[in-house]
Amino acid sequence: MAIVFFVSAARVFDLACARNSTRLAAKLFLRNAAGHVKAVGKFPLDADPFETAQHHVPRMPIAAGAASADADWLASWQAADRAIAPDDTMFTSATVSKLVHDAATTRDQLWVSASLAVREADDNFALRGSAPMVFVNRGANGIDGVIASASGAALKHHGRTFLLIGDVAFLHDLSSLIIPSLEVQPQLTIVVLDNNGGQIFKTLEQGAAHFDSLFDRVYGTPHGRNLEAIASAAGWSATTISSAAELTSALAAGTSVIVAKLSA
């Protein structure tokens, strides 16, 4: 989501929003900013999910004679963006998502699962001119059928196809790993964010201390499964890795299923 602030003498702030965010904090911010929101986009509900906007416009209005962005100002924001890059000393979902995106070129396509994967994509995919085409099935929610979607796209694509997916979403769509013997095997590289369950919920309301007694049973749902063995049994080349260097090597080798065992 893009949120642009406008400061004027008449109001403390105005907001112009384009597209709905995957982030709970951004949604709460918009819901509480009623009376100060302008939604920008072709489809109003994309930018105004709580219907708090006073105005809907198809594109961002630019004042007549407005000057281009100052180059130093832009450079300072780009430098700040680089300064909050993922911590490479920890093997996290942020590190994995960034490396997968960096490995893909303009000839490739990158599918991103819902839940944790799409949030990490939102935070960590680099802004660059040679980026791949990125696809998602639904957005923040809905984890079923992601392997099937990416496989179908891979069969019709001449470049390489990557899929960044969480471990629970991977388990939800295991049947899509079974390719009938008369069908073509998709040229698909699946990178699984394996943190043994739905750890994304620890960052949401369900992660509050008063849910501790039931968190694993209801939300975390730790699976304890060997995902590499599961993929291998379905006929895919597979490996388990636990460092950035191992991930880079596996991506270069063209391994079909890369299980990234996360440290945090």
Side-chain angles (χ1 to χ4, degrees):
M1 166 179 279
I3 300 180
V4 181
F5 291 82
F6 295 95
V7 179
S8 69
R11 288 183 177 173
V12 176
F13 62 83
D14 283 325
L15 304 176
C17 304
R19 288 247 174 229
N20 190 7
S21 173
T22 63
R23 292 293 179 181
L24 177 63
K27 291 182 177 181
L28 291 175
F29 184 69
L30 281 181
R31 188 167 63 188
N32 294 327
H36 298 280
V37 178
K38 294 179 175 64
V40 181
K42 182 178 179 181
F43 302 103
L45 287 180
D46 277 357
D48 187 24
F50 302 109
E51 299 184 351
T52 55
Q54 290 181 305
H55 305 285
H56 291 88
V57 294
R59 62 184 59 85
M60 183 72 75
I62 304 298
S68 300
D70 179 81
D72 291 338
W73 177 87
L74 177 59
S76 69
W77 275 101
Q78 292 173 329
D81 191 52
R82 291 191 295 270
I84 58 171
D87 182 359
D88 291 336
T89 63
M90 298 286 287
F91 193 58
T92 66
S93 53
T95 300
V96 173
S97 63
K98 181 179 185 303
L99 290 173
V100 172
H101 185 255
D102 288 349
T105 71
T106 53
R107 299 185 301 275
D108 305 324
Q109 57 183 357
L110 171 55
W111 280 77
V112 181
S113 177
S115 195
L116 178 61
V118 76
R119 287 170 168 84
E120 295 295 15
D122 188 29
D123 282 348
N124 299 295
F125 282 6
L127 297 174
R128 56 189 174 93
S130 57
M133 182 71 75
V134 178
F135 298 91
V136 294
N137 264 7
R138 295 173 185 83
N141 306 302
I143 60 172
D144 54 305
V146 182
I147 297 175
S149 295
S151 296
L155 291 172
K156 292 297 183 180
H157 185 66
H158 296 296
R160 192 172 178 184
T161 299
F162 297 86
L163 167 61
L164 181 67
I165 188 171
D167 48 359
V168 178
F170 180 82
L171 290 169
H172 265 257
D173 201 21
L174 283 182
S175 61
S176 292
L177 294 177
I178 309 301
I179 309 299
S181 58
L182 297 181
E183 300 298 327
V184 176
Q185 180 87 10
Q187 297 302 305
L188 176 63
T189 299
I190 302 173
V191 180
V192 186
L193 301 171
D194 186 3
N195 56 13
N196 196 30
Q199 299 305 312
I200 180 65
F201 291 108
K202 287 186 176 178
T203 68
L204 305 175
E205 296 97 325
Q206 295 90 335
H210 58 269
F211 289 121
D212 284 351
S213 62
L214 50 79
F215 180 84
D216 280 346
R217 180 73 185 277
V218 178
Y219 302 113
T221 60
H223 53 79
R225 295 295 183 266
N226 184 335
L227 304 185
E228 177 187 344
I230 291 173
S232 296
W236 295 66
S237 63
T239 187
T240 300
I241 52 96
S242 57
S243 72
E246 290 177 336
L247 174 57
T248 300
S249 177
L251 288 169
T255 306
S256 294
V257 178
I258 303 170
V259 181
K261 297 287 285 187
L262 305 178
S263 58

